[in-house]
Amino acid sequence: MSVGKYSSYMKSLKDLLNKPYSYDNKVELKTQASNGAKFTSDASIKDKDGSAAGNLKVEYKQGNFSVDKLAISTDKTITGEFKLAGAAPNTDFTFKCTDGSRSSGADISAGIGAVYKDDAFTVTADADVINGPNFDFTGVFAYQGFLVGGATKVSTNFLSAADAASKDSKDAAAAPVAVSDYNVLLGYKTSDFTVAAQTTKALSHVDVTLLHTASKDLEAGTIASFDVKGGSTPFGITLGGKYKLDSDSSIAGAVDSTGKISLNYSQKLSDFATIKASGQVDSLALDSDSHKFGLTLCLGN
């Protein structure tokens, strides 16, 4: 059984509890070129403010090199994610960048990373080459189903110090290096379920998760979140699941401790079209206008 990246154990559950639900009204078109390049475009009316938005995403793979994501959106943001698999034994190299300089309040970011995977552990290292630079390191070790992992973020200001030195040597301060965040993961994984406890915010917040694949058609999970020392974030719990009704349809549902109930129904209309309907009810404020509903029409394959 392969060992996932540190972030993957939380992401799998959050995808189950959040990803099926979209409260925007959206049309999505997918197509694939003869050379294997995949194109995904969408246009939507946002539930939040009624504004219109659109995105175009390209994915492409050639040998060991892949464009995992090259996207441009109507908010004037360009995003790229690239990977070179097998660049070294058991190691992949990645590069990510975002150019939001034409968008109000957005920045340019770029990062390089490496992922090393073995039968017993997975280690990642990422560097933000625009800011700091700042470094993120994670590792997960597995033994007979038990998982032990850790993550740390090291922040520097070498680049800002260099800028200050180039402008005025009197303003150039020493470039300190500091550990700005650190967290741990403890868990247990089998072929059909994963239970884990993972901290965030320098060990001050804990998420306890359970993800269970009950059958090939049913997947369920729950997450409980709380602050270690009674901080400002209240205790919260969310549980949900997804059930495949048949080869063409599925339903998903989730409920959380704030009283919000979410439902999703997906129906394949043909080999080319699928429609998805999502709704959310605030059960503690039935007379409010906080309820949500969205439709998504997916075209292509």
Side-chain angles (χ1 to χ4, degrees):
M1 189 182 301
S2 63
V3 182
K5 294 193 293 185
Y6 182 89
S7 60
S8 67
Y9 295 98
M10 186 67 66
K11 182 180 183 300
S12 298
L13 180 60
K14 288 188 174 180
D15 284 349
L16 174 66
L17 297 178
N18 299 315
K19 197 171 182 178
Y21 313 102
S22 174
Y23 306 110
D24 301 334
N25 292 305
K26 180 189 297 185
V27 176
E28 183 178 84
L29 176 63
K30 295 182 178 181
T31 187
Q32 183 169 336
S34 58
N35 64 354
K38 298 178 181 179
F39 298 86
T40 302
S41 59
D42 66 73
S44 61
I45 302 297
K46 298 292 184 181
D47 168 75
K48 185 176 181 179
D49 55 11
S51 62
N55 301 278
L56 173 63
K57 182 176 72 172
V58 181
E59 300 170 78
Y60 180 69
K61 184 175 182 179
Q62 180 65 45
N64 291 344
F65 175 76
S66 62
V67 180
D68 293 335
K69 181 181 181 181
L70 182 58
I72 183 171
S73 61
T74 51
D75 66 358
K76 303 178 182 178
T77 300
I78 301 173
T79 304
E81 297 181 4
F82 310 90
K83 180 171 70 176
L84 182 61
N90 300 328
T91 305
D92 299 339
F93 290 125
T94 61
F95 174 73
K96 299 180 181 180
C97 60
T98 300
D99 182 0
S101 58
R102 297 180 180 273
S103 179
S104 175
D107 296 320
I108 298 175
S109 66
I112 56 175
V115 180
Y116 179 85
K117 289 187 176 183
D118 204 342
D119 292 338
F121 61 91
T122 295
V123 178
T124 70
D126 295 280
D128 181 345
V129 297
I130 299 295
N131 303 300
N134 300 320
F135 302 91
D136 289 281
F137 303 98
T138 73
V140 178
F141 174 77
Y143 178 73
Q144 295 185 352
F146 291 97
L147 304 169
V148 178
T152 185
K153 182 173 184 177
V154 179
S155 301
T156 76
N157 68 349
F158 292 120
L159 296 179
S160 58
D163 289 341
S166 64
K167 294 177 182 177
D168 187 346
S169 59
K170 294 181 180 180
D171 294 332
V177 177
V179 177
S180 57
D181 198 8
Y182 46 89
N183 293 288
V184 296
L185 164 73
L186 297 173
Y188 183 75
K189 181 182 173 92
T190 69
S191 60
D192 62 345
F193 82 89
T194 303
V195 58
Q198 188 169 350
T199 67
T200 55
K201 302 177 182 178
L203 306 178
S204 64
H205 185 82
V206 179
D207 294 309
V208 180
T209 64
L210 171 64
L211 180 62
H212 183 207
T213 303
S215 69
K216 64 182 181 65
D217 297 324
L218 176 62
E219 191 174 23
T222 183
I223 178 171
S225 305
F226 57 91
D227 286 336
V228 174
K229 295 183 179 180
S232 59
T233 304
F235 175 84
I237 186 168
T238 303
L239 61 130
K242 184 177 181 180
Y243 180 68
K244 189 174 181 181
L245 298 171
D246 52 42
S247 59
D248 293 331
S249 60
S250 64
I251 57 172
V255 59
D256 63 31
S257 53
T258 66
K260 291 183 173 61
I261 302 171
S262 304
L263 295 171
N264 170 270
Y265 177 73
S266 176
Q267 177 66 56
K268 183 177 180 180
L269 303 176
S270 68
D271 291 338
F272 186 75
T274 300
I275 191 167
K276 301 176 182 179
S278 297
Q280 185 181 84
V281 174
D282 188 345
S283 63
L284 301 183
L286 294 175
D287 58 344
S288 70
D289 60 355
S290 59
H291 313 303
K292 301 177 182 180
F293 180 77
L295 285 174
T296 299
L297 177 62
C298 301
L299 304 175
N301 44 41

